[in-house]
Amino acid sequence: MRIGILGTGNVARTLARGWSAAGHDVVLGSREPENRTGLDVGTAAVVSLVEAAAHADVLVNATPGTASVDVLTTIGAPALAGKTLVDVGVGMTGDMALAHPNSSLGEQIQEAFPGTPVVKTLCTMDCSVMIDPSALEGPSTVFLSGDDAAAKTTTRRLLTDLGWPDASQLDLGGIITSRGQEHFALMFVAIAGGLGNHGFNIHVVPPGSPHSA
């Protein structure tokens, strides 16, 4: 699959290495590709944002959540139309408050680009866990939110290629549920502070069978 990752930060570089290792054709999109040389991105190349969009079957938004809609707008709706857009961003202010307290970045992207099916995922964990869930001591959960079933199917395949088994993937419903994923960022920061470490994840434990009398 041809994957265009928008951004060149830690998350973008980590995902590029993960999907490149899984055999996908990955590029990273940057506003200044000429200044983004020597990055540890596996076999991926760094190109312009427009080139990344043109290359991709699937786009991944790994840009800062406070700037993501503007970045996508510079690419333009026609270049994004029909492509699955996997959104892993979270908007946080400088004082670590939510930039979208009554909404979500996922919803705002979907509203701004109705011809581009958006799937929110991978935003509830550190990037090291995104591509190596097996390094944790036990099973954990990755979430999906989105309105388009086909886009979710594509995203589930890409998650599987990063090491997430089907049993670990929990579909939350429509794109409006991306609020829950993004707002978990506050809890993530609190847990990281309590553990003194970012390399963790959460596991949704379903109810067991009722005990017999």
Side-chain angles (χ1 to χ4, degrees), residues 44-65:
V46 180
V47 299
S48 72
L49 293 169
V50 171
E51 288 172 323
H55 169 87
D57 301 312
V58 175
L59 282 169
V60 180
N61 174 48
T63 63

Side-chain angles (χ1 to χ4, degrees), residues 21-66:
H24 294 289
D25 180 1
V26 182
V27 300
L28 289 89
S30 170
R31 286 172 169 167
E32 301 177 337
E34 66 279 3
N35 296 326
R36 298 292 186 269
T37 60
L39 300 179
D40 181 12
V41 292
T43 60
V46 180
V47 299
S48 72
L49 293 169
V50 171
E51 288 172 323
H55 169 87
D57 301 312
V58 175
L59 282 169
V60 180
N61 174 48
T63 63
T66 52

Side-chain angles (χ1 to χ4, degrees), residues 4 6 30-31 57 97 107 110 119 141 151 185 188 211:
L6 306 178
S30 170
R31 286 172 169 167
D57 301 312
E107 290 172 90
Q110 187 63 88
V119 181
T141 305
F188 178 90
H211 295 292

Side-chain angles (χ1 to χ4, degrees), residues 60-76:
V60 180
N61 174 48
T63 63
T66 52
S68 296
V69 173
D70 288 341
V71 169
L72 292 166
T73 299
T74 66
I75 297 172

Side-chain angles (χ1 to χ4, degrees), residues 125-129 136 188-189 191-193 195-201:
M125 65 195 73
D126 183 72
C127 59
S128 62
V129 177
L136 300 174
F188 178 90
V189 171
I191 295 172
L195 290 177
N197 191 301
H198 291 85
F200 64 89
N201 196 27

